[in-house]
Amino acid sequence: MQTGTSLGWIGAGRMGYAMAERLAKGGCDIAVWNRTREKALPLEKSGAKVVNQLEELSTKDILFVMVSTYDDVREVLGKALASGAKRGKPKMVVECSSISLEGSAELRQMLKGKGIEYLAAPVSGNAKVIKAGKLTFVVSGPKPAYEKAKPYLDMMGAGSSYVGEGELARIAKICHNVMLGVVIQNLCEITVLAQKAGMPRHAFLDFLNKSVMGSMFTRYKTPALVNLDFHVTFTPKLLRKDLDLGLDAGREFEVPMPLTSLTRDLLQQMIGHGMTEEDFSTLLLMQAKASGIELKPENVPVSDGLSS
Ligand SMILES: NC(=O)c1ccc[n+]([C@@H]2O[C@H](COP(=O)([O-])OP(=O)(O)OC[C@H]3O[C@@H](n4cnc5c(N)ncnc54)[C@H](OP(=O)(O)O)[C@@H]3O)[C@@H](O)[C@H]2O)c1
């Protein structure tokens, strides 16, 4: 890792906070801005500096962005890089939010015009996954820029995969989150089926998690499905955004995506019922309702496969 590299961080939400915290704890020179400043303040305990103005990040060597949608990315970067801010410009922007191909390409064009290197670097994992050191990145853009950013990406988790030039990382991330949506819906269907047939959810999921079909994902969703702990990791609306991005990409590249379409509609039904504030795995409750049963927490200690 290059010493003396200054890092700027925009966005201390569920993901951004945990990611910036790892860099701060790792000893990086990092300054953080969040729209709601109070949410970022505890990062100072880990060694980060929390700034008041976005413009204060404009001279950092590498500027990371982790907000919600492309509109938000455009808004924050627009302010951070405002030409009126005569402070200078970052050498590189690493954009980690889950945004569209088109948004990412527009951003690349804008940054190119300003002579700033740009990496598209969306992630896989939730805040708990980050804490467990298992976050992963998929990255695209110029290879030399990737080599410079790689040590910092490595510090935030289990490493990164470089997939090529341009916006290819966006497509990889969209594919990944389409799988997230389809898999959680299916996991909810089979968990409710198993329960309605007579077995406890924890017993069924114990079997599934030990089998070849078990995964880090099925394991870390198990506490939610067994004990109905729907503390939000990822909101239904953010998942809907990603399924929509997947369907848009399917249309663009003329790839039929029937499972994605169906899952998007099931998620929309849940959002239509006002179930927007808890975790996306509340799809389990929708599935139970559609199956004529009411679920109760099993109150059984189950591992999420992440905590040591
Ligand atoms: N959660 C997950 O499991 C997960 C996993 C992989 C990828 N992602 C992606 O990561 C991104 C962040 O997700 P998250 O779960 O961390 O979301 P979140 O907790 O809702 O945080 C969103 C962050 O963006 C900021 N923000 C939103 N709109 C803004 C605007 N117009 N101006 C300035 N700041 C703005 C928020 O600031 P405030 O604090 O002021 O609201 C907050 O810091 C999303 O693109 C999501 O799809 C999430």
Side-chain angles (χ1 to χ4, degrees):
M1 183 168 52
Q2 252 183 301
T3 49
T5 302
S6 60
L7 308 181
W9 191 280
I10 302 178
R14 270 179 294 274
M15 299 294 289
Y17 185 98
M19 291 162 78
E21 187 178 40
R22 286 189 76 87
L23 292 175
K25 284 188 171 164
C28 294
D29 167 10
I30 180 169
V32 180
W33 177 90
N34 195 50
R35 178 177 59 184
T36 312
R37 188 166 186 273
E38 308 76 69
K39 280 203 220 165
L41 282 176
L43 284 169
E44 291 195 324
K45 281 196 266 164
S46 307
K49 179 179 179 214
V50 177
V51 301
N52 290 313
Q53 303 292 330
L54 266 173
E55 288 80 357
E56 292 177 59
L57 301 184
S58 64
T59 52
K60 301 298 173 190
D61 293 322
I62 306 181
L63 181 54
F64 289 89
V65 183
M66 188 53 157
V67 289
S68 299
T69 65
Y70 177 57
D71 285 345
D72 306 319
V73 173
R74 200 168 40 186
E75 190 182 325
V76 293
L77 275 179
K79 284 184 194 155
L81 306 177
S83 51
K86 294 198 183 84
R87 298 163 181 267
K89 61 182 185 191
K91 293 194 180 90
M92 189 194 306
V93 167
V94 180
E95 208 304 301
C96 305
S97 325
S98 303
I99 61 172
S100 65
L101 269 168
E102 295 73 22
S104 192
E106 189 180 294
L107 190 58
R108 187 175 299 281
Q109 203 57 32
M110 187 272 274
L111 292 170
K112 197 175 171 194
K114 293 182 186 290
I116 300 170
E117 289 183 299
Y118 170 63
L119 290 177
V123 303
S124 170
N126 61 28
K128 209 163 178 185
V129 172
I130 302 171
K131 277 200 164 42
K134 293 193 166 139
L135 184 77
T136 52
F137 291 84
V138 58
V139 188
S140 61
K143 191 81 189 277
Y146 170 64
E147 296 300 341
K148 279 182 245 164
K150 191 173 176 300
Y152 303 99
L153 303 178
D154 288 348
M155 275 180 86
M156 283 186 269
S160 54
S161 305
Y162 178 75
V163 290
E165 293 288 334
E167 309 336 306
L168 288 174
R170 302 298 178 186
I171 281 285
K173 170 62 189 175
I174 289 166
C175 292
H176 169 284
N177 271 27
V178 162
M179 185 173 171
L180 172 74
V182 171
V183 168
I184 189 66
Q185 172 58 30
N186 185 246
L187 193 57
C188 292
E189 287 176 14
I190 58 176
T191 302
V192 167
L193 174 61
Q195 163 157 1
K196 206 170 174 193
M199 74 198 88
R201 297 190 296 281
H202 72 268
F204 169 64
L205 289 167
D206 182 62
F207 159 65
L208 191 84
N209 287 337
K210 286 177 181 153
S211 78
V212 291
M213 299 311 296
S215 66
M216 195 191 299
F217 176 71
T218 64
R219 284 186 279 278
Y220 78 60
K221 276 298 167 206
T222 293
L225 303 186
V226 170
N227 294 324
L228 311 186
D229 168 9
F230 296 120
H231 188 82
V232 70
T233 62
F234 190 46
T235 63
K237 284 189 177 169
L238 281 178
L239 179 59
R240 180 182 62 183
K241 172 199 69 165
D242 290 345
L243 295 181
D244 282 337
L245 291 174
L247 291 169
D248 288 348
R251 275 187 281 274
E252 185 185 338
F253 293 102
E254 298 209 26
V255 174
M257 301 184 73
L259 294 180
T260 314
S261 262
L262 192 54
T263 305
R264 197 264 180 214
D265 277 348
L266 291 164
L267 187 65
Q268 180 59 54
Q269 276 180 31
M270 181 169 92
I271 291 170
H273 279 99
M275 294 164 69
T276 56
E277 302 311 308
E278 290 187 298
D279 195 58
F280 66 102
S281 53
T282 45
L283 279 165
L284 183 78
L285 302 179
M286 288 294 290
Q287 183 64 31
K289 204 166 182 191
S291 311
I293 58 172
E294 196 183 329
L295 301 186
K296 299 222 162 27
E298 290 183 348
N299 296 324
V300 174
V302 282
S303 167
D304 62 6
L306 293 173
S307 326
S308 44

